[in-house]
Amino acid sequence: MPRTVRPDPVAFFDTVLDRFRRAEAAAHATVTRSFRIDRHTVRLRFAGSALVSPLTPALEHLAAGDAAPDLTVCIWDSNSTGIAWPSMPWFQAAGHVDSDGHVDSDGRRIDNLYTPRGDVRGYCTSRIAMHVGDALFSLLDLERNLAIYWCRDAATLPLWERGAPLRSILHWWLRARGLQLVHAGAIGTPAGAVLLAGKGGSGKSTTALTALRSGLLYLSDDYSLIQLDPAPVVHSLYNTAKVRPDNLERVPHLRDAVVNPGSLDAEKALFFVRQSFPDRIVARLPLRAILLPRVTGLRDTTVAPASSRESLAALSLSTLHQLAGSGRELLQTIGRLVEAVPTHHLNLGTDLAQIPVAITRVLETAG
């Protein structure tokens, strides 16, 4: 019979933290990397080096010195350190514990213990945030400004984790500091940026990466940080870009920069823009407009009015689906955003050279 276990998120966090310290000792080495996001220094503390290369390239454009950290993220994997993730009390309570304390006897996640986005039921509070992924966990203690990230094996880290590392942890922590992560790209000029919002396949990535050839500045093609006060600003978080393999011909200037050429039959092509266009990346720009790209099949690219309601739907639906622990606060932030800046449809034509021209005109009008 399943037994009753009263959730104690802080105690479990401390249990995991002890495992990290054991992993550090087992690795005989600690590697640190620091990054500056807006005014905040985030220090990554690795037990050994196995996860350094998979997790840091997406953040390298924000690399910082050795300033005192505002947030420390403790990172380890079990394969290289030999230190396993601890047995989890919510599995014991449900009566489903395998030899690792992770999963049921079929090796699958027990869905009734998690929300569809991976929040652990009963273990996410105003202080502690916790998210489960595919053989990885993210935890944050907001009171101590301390986070923990674990995966079973660095070699099997999914593409989306390499492209947007530590996403849940950064989302939770930065949200408490007035920075909201949204599923949208961002490009612009020194005068300001446009946010590119829409579901997968709408043309966000192609638009952002095509703009690189025209001299426009790059912040993101997939996730952006939004600040509303005192005025709308968009911050870069990842210098990552992802493109479907069948769209690689649209970005020939990046073909040689694909970091996963051997797996394009199963996943998108992944790039780190800093490696090819370091002079095009900026950390922040004033936000002037929201564009909703859509592929038309026509030759010419045009801009047409869109409503704030359409913008709200484009931004909120995909962001809510992808960010653990997001809800009413996210919707309120996006609601304020779409009322603060104008929204337009960006009707994407097949003549790619027209796309950055159209975006530049939007910015000139908005400015």
Side-chain angles (χ1 to χ4, degrees):
M1 288 289 293
R3 62 187 180 87
T4 300
V5 176
R6 184 176 180 178
D8 191 341
V10 174
F12 183 69
F13 187 99
D14 289 339
T15 297
V16 178
L17 184 59
D18 178 68
R19 289 296 176 104
F20 168 75
R21 289 168 177 156
R22 290 166 56 185
E24 257 189 323
H28 303 295
T30 298
V31 180
T32 61
R33 295 286 188 274
S34 294
F35 303 94
R36 190 75 172 170
I37 304 172
D38 190 23
R39 297 156 293 138
H40 311 294
T41 299
V42 177
R43 179 175 295 169
L44 309 186
R45 185 178 179 90
F46 296 88
S49 61
L51 281 165
V52 176
S53 293
L55 294 181
T56 59
L59 295 161
E60 281 298 340
H61 64 305
L62 303 175
D66 294 325
D70 301 299
L71 170 69
T72 299
V73 186
C74 303
I75 300 170
W76 100 94
D77 75 292
S78 293
N79 186 62
S80 71
T81 66
I83 304 301
W85 183 261
S87 178
M88 295 177 287
W90 54 89
F91 281 98
Q92 296 169 7
H96 298 277
V97 185
D98 72 354
S99 58
D100 295 324
H102 297 156
V103 290
D104 66 8
S105 58
D106 295 324
R108 296 174 300 182
R109 199 173 68 182
I110 304 173
D111 291 331
N112 66 319
L113 301 181
Y114 306 111
T115 70
R117 293 177 306 194
D119 306 288
V120 183
R121 299 187 192 278
Y123 281 78
C124 296
T125 68
S126 59
R127 174 179 171 177
I128 302 292
M130 196 176 304
H131 176 257
V132 59
D134 184 11
L136 56 89
F137 271 84
S138 300
L139 299 89
L140 171 66
D141 184 337
L142 281 164
E143 187 173 299
R144 285 184 277 186
N145 292 314
L146 186 63
I148 305 172
Y149 180 95
W150 168 88
C151 77
R152 185 172 294 137
D153 185 354
T156 60
L157 203 68
L159 176 79
W160 55 86
E161 284 294 318
R162 288 178 285 152
L166 313 175
R167 186 177 70 203
S168 293
I169 290 170
L170 294 175
H171 155 58
W172 296 323
W173 192 80
L174 291 167
R175 178 179 61 185
R177 283 147 186 84
L179 295 167
Q180 176 62 60
L181 190 63
V182 295
H183 182 224
I187 54 177
T189 69
V194 296
L195 206 61
L196 304 169
K199 62 182 180 180
S202 64
K204 296 193 306 296
S205 294
T206 299
T207 299
L209 296 178
T210 298
L212 283 171
R213 301 185 71 181
S214 71
L216 288 180
L217 301 173
Y218 183 92
L219 293 103
S220 170
D221 92 318
D222 207 22
Y223 294 102
S224 298
L225 279 172
I226 300 301
Q227 174 186 333
L228 290 179
D229 299 313
V233 172
V234 56
H235 298 262
S236 177
L237 183 57
Y238 304 118
N239 76 90
T240 309
K242 291 182 291 185
V243 176
R244 294 201 320 265
D246 59 347
N247 270 341
L248 279 174
E249 73 278 1
R250 294 177 176 268
V251 289
H253 50 298
L254 287 171
R255 182 176 294 275
D256 293 338
V258 178
V259 300
N260 58 330
S263 56
L264 298 185
D265 57 334
E267 59 190 18
K268 292 182 178 181
L270 178 68
F271 314 89
F272 296 114
V273 176
R274 179 181 177 273
Q275 296 176 5
S276 301
F277 293 90
D279 59 330
R280 294 283 195 272
I281 300 177
V282 291
R284 57 178 282 164
L285 284 172
L287 181 58
R288 304 300 189 195
I290 300 170
L291 297 183
L292 309 180
R294 55 188 181 187
V295 177
T296 66
L298 303 175
R299 179 181 182 278
D300 295 330
T301 292
T302 60
V303 176
S307 68
S308 57
R309 189 172 186 176
E310 289 174 297
S311 187
L312 178 65
L315 280 167
S316 62
L317 292 178
S318 59
T319 303
L320 279 168
H321 176 72
Q322 297 192 33
L323 295 183
S326 58
R328 180 182 301 175
E329 186 176 354
L330 169 67
L331 292 174
Q332 290 173 342
T333 299
I334 294 178
R336 289 181 59 201
L337 171 64
V338 302
E339 295 298 330
V341 297
T343 300
H344 310 278
H345 288 294
L346 181 65
N347 302 311
L348 300 173
T350 57
D351 181 3
L352 300 183
Q354 293 188 28
I355 296 175
V357 174
I359 293 171
T360 300
R361 287 175 180 164
V362 169
L363 286 168
E364 289 172 347
T365 303

